Every structure is written in structure tokens, then in C-alpha cells.
């Protein structure tokens, strides 16, 4: 009976967490697509300030994420999430009312820090409220709701904004702040199951925690792989790949919007169909397959920009590229995040989630800086470079698979063995090499 009650409590908590994910993504969707236009044109602060705002988001994340992991481990994910949400709400309101560069940059730094900490805190809550049997589906649902929320928020926000009216953007940022504050209320009522916390015991310093993480070679390899994943795909969506499409392939801005919509649509439509496929496959092989799919996507992008099939054919090829990226993302969402959780020793999920989020932010900061100029002017080298990076994902994934235990790489097989012996499935435990 106690196990049934615990399972019900975890299920109820997970439903609230998913509602929270959808709300936060919905709020972000209102403002993220229009931030550059808002700063540069609506507030009249110019392209340089707008670019600095985007850079501030990345810098703020890089500063707070190393601290966030330790805070999650010591205090638990919910208090850290609530603090991050309040910060994000204040930053969003500040951006809505800011009229000079200093106020805009300060508000962006607060909002960026809050958004960055939300990611590992929510991921750790999902880990705490799931089991080995339900974790892949939980993370797939999170990714599905995030993309759905961003898409719906962006669609509604696009009908509310008026570039001649700063007050319309103030309304957008106020709605975003309201979503964060509503999420504070929702998350305050989540009944979290007990999970191990690490107090201030000797040898448990922040430096010791990071040293222990870096001693886990499988986790280090996964972080390297994660950097390449985010650098070669996510870091190119709105920078190098879009610049390449416009400059090399002659894609119109409306067609670029269609390509981005195709990416989101692929994720929303394919997520749970893909989940059924990847749940019974080795995680390392799934990631390796994503590298091959993205390699095909880059080849198609090369045809769009470097081929001679006409504008319509180039547009269709470019839209297909974004759709293939979406298919790969749908395969990664139930694979990578649960693997990070399974590599983490007991009580260290927050630290590991924060470390992986830090790697993601680094890739997202470096990716546009490298890909943007290449995509705009060095068309053939750009395609070749990122085709090789995609193939590198496959190589790194295969190498990672050799270091993972059966529990980490094939959790479904281990659960089948346990059930066959008539015992309750055990939680996977990270193995440090």
C-alpha cells in the first residue's frame, strides 16, 4: 500500500511539473522571437545593444549554473526553482519597462540567470518524481510540452506585438512575468518525494563535488558529446543555418519561418511515436543514429544552397533539413536527459544536470559565434564543417556506449531481467569509472 501511495504522489507531482514546463515555455514563447526587434528597433537602442542582450543571456547562464548544481544538491530542486522563477519574473518585467541600454542589460542578465537555473532544477524534479520505467517518457513529455508551449506562445505573441507601440511589448513581457509567477504558485504545491540531499559534511565542498563529477569518465564523455550535439544543431538554428539559407539558398524570411515551424511540428507530431522506438534501443546507438540523421540533414542543406534545382526545390530542401533536425531532437529528448540522471550518484542529480546545462550553454554561446559568419559567407566550408560534426556525434556516441553499464545504456533489458527474477525493479545507479 505504501508503494502505491508513493507512486500516486509521484504521478501527481509529475503532472504539476509538466504543467509548469508548459507554462514557462508558453511565457518564453511570447518574447524570445521578438527580443532582438524590441531592443534594436522598438526601444531604438540599435543592433549592437540587441546583440549584447543576447550575449548577456549566455554570460549570466555561465555564471550561475556552476552554483546552481550545488544549491540543488544541498537545498533540493524546488526552493532553487522558486528563486529562479521570481528572478525571471523580475527580469522580464524590467525588460518590459526598460528604456535605456543599462536597464535593458541588467534586466536581461536577471532574466537569463533565472531561465538558466530553471532548466536543471526542473530536470532534477523530474528525476526525483520518476522511476527507471517512467523517466524516458517523462523527459519526452517535457520536451513535447516545451516545444508546444513555445510555438503557441510565439504564435499568440506575434498577433499582439506592434513595432510602433512599445506598450504592446510591455504587455508581452508582463504576460511572461505572470506566467513565471503563476508557475511559482503551481510549484509551491508540488509534493516532492523524499530524495537524498548532501549537507555540509567534510569533503563535500563545491570543489570536491566538481572533482568527483570530472572523475566520472562516462559523464565527461557525455558532456563532450553534448557539446557537439548542441553546437552542431541547436547552436545553428537561428544563426548560421538561417544565414546560410538566406544568403546561399535564397530562402525568403517567410520560408525560413516555415522551416522553423516544420521543426516544431515534427517534434510535436513524432515525439511519442519515436519514444516507442527508442525505449527499447541502446541509448548510445540512438544518439549515434541521430548523428547520421543530422548528417543527411546537412547534405540536404548543402543541396539547397549549393545545388541548381531552383528556388522552390531549394526551399523544400531547406524545410526538410529543419524537419530532420526535429526528428533527431525527438529521439534525443527521452535518451540524453535520463542518461545524465542514471550516471549521477545518489543525491547528485542536481549537480550533474547543472553541469550538462552548463555544457549546453557553452555550445549555444560558441555555436552562433562560429556558425553565423561561416553560414553567411563561407557556404561550402560551413556545410562540410557541420556535416563532419554530425558524423563526429555518431563516433562519440559509439565510444560512449563502450563505457556505459547495461543499466545505463540498456535500462529496459536490466528491468526485464529483474522482473523475470520476480523482484521489484531497482533504480539504476551511476557507475564511476
Amino acid at each position: 500500500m505504501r508503494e502505491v501511495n508513493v507512486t500516486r504522489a509521484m504521478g501527481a507531482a509529475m503532472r504539476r511539473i509538466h504543467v509548469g514546463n508548459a507554462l514557462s515555455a508558453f511565457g518564453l514563447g511570447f518574447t524570445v522571437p521578438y527580443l532582438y526587434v524590441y531592443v534594436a528597433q522598438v526601444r531604438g537602442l540599435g543592433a549592437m545593444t540587441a546583440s549584447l542582450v543576447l550575449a548577456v543571456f549566455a554570460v549570466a547562464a555561465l555564471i550561475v549554473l556552476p552554483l546552481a548544481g550545488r544549491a540543488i544538491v544541498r537545498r533540493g530542486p524546488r526552493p532553487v526553482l522558486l528563486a529562479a522563477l521570481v528572478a525571471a519574473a523580475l527580469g522580464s518585467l524590467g525588460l518590459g519597462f526598460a528604456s535605456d541600454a543599462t536597464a535593458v542589460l541588467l534586466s536581461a542578465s536577471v532574466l537569463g540567470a533565472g531561465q538558466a537555473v530553471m532548466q536543471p532544477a526542473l530536470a532534477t524534479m523530474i528525476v526525483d518524481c520518476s522511476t527507471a520505467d517512467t523517466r524516458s517518457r517523462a523527459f519526452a513529455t517535457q520536451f513535447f510540452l516545451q516545444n508546444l508551449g513555445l510555438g503557441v506562445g510565439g504564435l499568440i505573441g506575434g498577433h499582439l506585438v506592434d513595432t510602433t507601440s512599445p506598450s504592446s511589448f510591455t504587455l508581452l513581457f508582463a504576460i511572461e512575468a505572470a506566467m513565471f509567477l503563476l508557475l511559482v504558485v503551481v510549484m509551491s504545491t508540488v509534493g516532492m518525494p523524499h530524495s537524498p540531499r548532501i549537507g555540509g559534511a567534510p569533503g563535500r565542498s563545491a570543489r570536491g563535488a566538481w572533482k568527483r563529477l570530472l572523475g566520472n569518465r562516462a559523464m565527461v564523455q557525455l558532456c563532450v558529446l553534448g557539446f557537439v550535439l548542441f553546437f552542431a544543431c541547436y547552436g545553428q538554428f537561428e544563426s548560421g543555418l538561417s544565414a546560410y539559407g538566406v544568403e546561399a539558398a535564397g530562402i525568403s524570411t517567410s520560408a525560413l519561418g516555415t522551416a522553423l515551424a516544420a521543426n516544431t511540428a515534427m517534434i510535436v507530431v513524432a515525439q511519442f511515436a519515436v519514444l516507442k522506438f527508442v525505449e527499447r534501443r541502446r541509448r548510445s546507438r540512438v544518439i549515434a543514429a541521430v548523428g547520421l540523421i543530422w548528417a543527411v540533414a546537412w547534405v540536404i542543406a548543402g543541396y539547397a544552397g549549393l545545388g541548381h534545382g531552383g528556388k522552390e526545390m531549394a526551399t523544400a530542401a531547406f524545410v526538410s533539413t529543419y524537419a530532420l533536425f526535429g526528428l533527431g531532437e525527438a529521439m534525443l529528448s527521452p535518451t540524453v536527459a535520463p542518461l545524465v540522471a542514471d550516471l549521477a550518484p545518489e543525491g547528485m542529480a542536481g549537480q550533474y544536470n547543472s553541469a550538462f546545462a552548463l555544457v549546453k550553454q557553452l555550445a549555444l554561446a560558441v555555436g552562433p559565434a562560429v556558425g553565423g559568419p561561416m553560414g553567411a559567407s563561407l557556404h561550402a566550408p560551413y556545410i562540410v564543417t557541420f556535416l563532419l560534426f554530425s558524423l563526429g556525434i555518431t563516433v562519440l556516441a559509439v565510444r560512449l556506449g563502450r563505457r556505459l553499464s547495461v543499466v545505463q545504456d540498456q535500462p529496459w533489458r536490466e528491468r526485464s531481467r529483474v522482473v523475470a527474477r520476480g523482484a521489484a525493479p531497482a533504480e539504476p545507479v551511476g557507475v564511476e569509472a
Side-chain angles (χ1 to χ4, degrees), residues 167-192:
S167 62
S168 68
F169 283 86
T170 300
L171 174 62
L172 286 192
F173 284 104
I175 292 173
E176 180 183 46
M179 291 296 102
F180 289 136
L181 294 177
L182 178 59
L183 186 50
V184 169
V185 176
V186 173
M187 291 295 107
S188 297
T189 62
V190 173
M192 294 294 295

Side-chain angles (χ1 to χ4, degrees), residues 222-370:
L222 180 59
C223 285
V224 172
L225 174 57
F227 181 89
V228 178
L229 282 168
F230 291 111
F231 176 78
C233 175
Y234 300 85
Q236 304 306 313
F237 272 175
E238 297 176 5
S239 57
L241 189 55
S242 58
Y244 169 84
V246 172
E247 298 295 337
I251 301 297
S252 65
T253 53
S254 60
L256 183 59
T258 301
L260 289 167
N263 175 264
T264 301
M266 174 63 79
I267 293 169
V268 171
V269 172
Q271 182 64 83
F272 293 104
V274 168
L275 176 63
K276 294 180 180 179
F277 173 79
V278 304
E279 277 185 320
R280 305 291 291 183
R281 302 294 187 278
R282 294 178 61 175
R283 287 167 169 169
S284 59
R285 298 294 173 84
V286 171
I287 301 172
V290 170
L292 295 177
I293 290 171
W294 286 356
V296 172
W298 283 109
V299 170
I300 294 175
Y303 170 78
L306 306 175
H308 304 282
K311 188 173 182 179
E312 292 77 11
M313 188 65 71
T315 299
F318 202 71
V319 171
S320 299
T321 296
Y322 272 80
L324 284 174
F325 277 125
L327 176 61
E329 292 174 77
M331 294 171 66
L332 290 176
S333 63
T335 305
V336 176
L339 179 55
V340 173
D342 289 352
L343 285 171
E346 189 176 34
M348 291 290 289
Q351 186 82 40
Y352 277 55
N353 282 324
S354 294
F356 198 76
L358 178 62
V359 168
K360 176 181 177 180
Q361 288 297 328
L362 282 169
L364 294 180
V366 175
V370 174

